[in-house]
Amino acid sequence: MREHGHKSRRRFRQPSVLPGFGLALGVTLFWLVLIILIPLSGLIWRSSSLGWSQFMTLALDTRTLNALKISFGTAFVAAIVNLVFGVILAWVLVRYRFPGKRVIDAMVDLPFALPTAVAGIALATLYAPNGWIGSLLAPLGIKIAFTPAGIVVALIFVGLPFVVRTVQPIMEEIDKEVEEAAATLGASRFQTISRVLLPGLLPAGLTGFALAFARGVGEYGSVIFIAGNLPYVSEIAPLLIVIRLEEFNYPAATAIAAVMLIISFAMLLIINSIQAWSRRRYVYVA
Amino acid sequence: MSPDAAIASQHVRAATSESRFARLSLIVAALAFVGLFLLLPLAAVFTEALRKGPAEFFSALGDAETFSAIRLTLIVAAIAVPLNLVFGVAAAWAIAKFEFKGKAFLTTLIDLPFSVSPVISGLVFVLLFGSHSLIGPWLQSHGIQILFAVPGLVLATVFVTFPFVARELIPLMQEQGTSDEEAALSLGASGWQTFWHVTLPNIKWGLLYGVLLCNARAMGEFGAVSVVSGHIRGQTNTMPLQVEILYNEYNFVAAFAVATLLALLALVTLVLKTALELRYSAEIAASRRH
């Protein structure tokens, strides 16, 4: 019917007997455009209407640059900590048996379920100089709350589930025969783990790391209570957006948001390509 | 125990397991990490709330502003979650049951809100509806209040919780395929009958799981809601915002009292989630592997 005329054109959709494609896709696109695409393109349009030189002036402002550096730096450190302990935690949960294991497994998702503001005030109270942990560290001269270290602590909390939950299902699917083969070929246990098992977990670990990092960069609620929010020292980029908004400085707020968005989209692309790459390279990868 | 067996149990371990020492140190490291970063903060919420006794705790909860914050949180979640439920089912139906061009791109777009800072999720609506925006003056002259009112809070919450239901359902429905639906249709069922009596029962646990996560995030969202709320006490403060205000006023017992309610919500969510995973692990495992 429609095919003759443009032979080379492939069908938009494969034929199916199931009904409702038009309705379902229509609802999906309508909602997506209304809630996500129009608001986000509004932000992009606003920042592009600033003009290049004004945009660069706002984006390269020292306070903005410092805030971006702090956000990305602390998120990176927290994601590294989460990568190391996330892999250990996933390993312990998959391989060992110990009392309370099921509770610990369930608790790993706490940061997904606990509102960030609650986590924020709890961590600030714990790490303040008179708090449970802060009072232990104070005699040693270590300050965590109201310093960049406090931001890292909050971001470790927020990003904790990502690495565990991406690595755990992959570990469960590891074929025991791979380890047996390594052992019969004379590898020590340490060699088996570091040369055989960990490389296979690398893509999942990197995905978890990237997710935790991306979440940490944008995080606001859990950080602002413990950070101290000192400009140039412990002021994160999302907070600076809020401050600029409260000053009715919309161009500055928009510029910071645009910079953060561009970097987040780049990260999203990287995450997707890590996953595509690992699907091609490794068998037991989701 | 024979001497041989005793020697075996002491000195020989399987080549595919770690030494006792390595095992113990890994378990201790993992438990210390969980204890320090998860259990201690949770314990702190409850301890701080009850620091001055239960009477103080309950009087803090009985406060009128706290009550209105609880009500507002429930209203916002009651609007935002069903909206995303309908969207999630529609998106999953289109993406999981059909093959069409641009599907991967559409899936990426649905995940977009996860990679946007909550503050930016709020900011986009301020830029869209604020008094300096294109439609801001028109809204103002017609007396339509979106920012600093319930519609703004709902929009920001819908934005932030957008992917939750769809993300749970898409892999699950992809795994289930289309043969059940095709059978129902060939036996003469209509499209809606097929959906209600075949598809929905197949996906109900995954759907519940997605709704659970969506609801937890909707009730607990802070950054996005904070930007659009305007912080009008007793009117546009949700529970997380009320926690912030009380905390910044050094009213710690009250702040942690409201926080305990949110922490209990989180714990109930985790318990239900774990129960669902244990009973319907096969179904939900499908959605884990994406």
Side-chain angles (χ1 to χ4, degrees), chain B residues 114-180:
Chain B
F114 277 154
S115 47
V116 174
S117 169
V119 167
I120 298 178
S121 314
L123 171 72
V124 291
F125 291 106
V126 173
L127 294 179
L128 206 58
F129 298 113
S131 53
H132 49 277
S133 69
L134 278 181
I135 50 173
W138 184 87
L139 288 173
Q140 221 158 25
S141 65
H142 288 74
I144 303 170
Q145 188 80 16
I146 291 186
L147 291 180
F148 319 130
V150 175
L153 296 173
V154 170
L155 279 173
T157 306
V158 169
F159 185 103
V160 169
T161 57
F162 194 77
F164 280 95
V165 177
R167 263 182 90 92
E168 288 304 324
L169 288 184
I170 291 169
L172 175 63
M173 284 167 73
Q174 266 170 345
E175 188 124 319
Q176 288 172 349
T178 55
S179 48
D180 286 4

Side-chain angles (χ1 to χ4, degrees), chain B residues 219-238:
Chain B
M219 289 189 169
E221 178 50 31
F222 179 74
V225 167
S226 158
V227 171
V228 296
S229 116
H231 303 279
I232 307 165
R233 300 192 71 143
Q235 281 181 45
T236 63
N237 273 334
T238 60

Side-chain angles (χ1 to χ4, degrees), chain A residues 102-103 105-107 109 165, chain B residues 209 212 267-281 284 288:
Chain A
R102 191 158 272 175
V103 177
D105 197 356
M107 286 297 288
D109 283 329
R165 291 306 186 220
Chain B
Y209 191 87
L212 208 60
L267 287 177
V268 168
T269 304
L270 287 186
V271 168
L272 288 176
K273 189 172 168 294
T274 311
L276 277 178
E277 278 170 350
L278 287 180
R279 291 195 60 181
Y280 308 98
S281 49
I284 290 167
R288 269 283 173 77

Side-chain angles (χ1 to χ4, degrees), chain B residues 195-262:
Chain B
F195 176 76
W196 282 110
H197 299 292
V198 178
T199 309
L200 205 55
N202 275 343
I203 61 168
K204 62 181 179 229
W205 300 117
L207 187 64
L208 188 58
Y209 191 87
V211 167
L212 208 60
L213 297 181
C214 181
N215 180 63
R217 182 70 196 263
M219 289 189 169
E221 178 50 31
F222 179 74
V225 167
S226 158
V227 171
V228 296
S229 116
H231 303 279
I232 307 165
R233 300 192 71 143
Q235 281 181 45
T236 63
N237 273 334
T238 60
M239 285 165 79
L241 299 178
Q242 184 70 9
V243 169
E244 181 197 20
I245 287 181
L246 293 169
Y247 185 84
N248 286 342
E249 286 172 349
Y250 303 102
N251 194 349
F252 295 131
V253 169
F256 278 102
V258 180
T260 50
L261 296 182
L262 290 167

Side-chain angles (χ1 to χ4, degrees), chain A residues 27-29 31-32, chain B residues 82-92 110 162-163 166:
Chain A
V27 169
T28 306
L29 289 179
W31 206 226
L32 186 71
Chain B
L83 285 176
N84 277 335
L85 168 70
V86 171
F87 160 77
V89 173
I110 289 173
F162 194 77

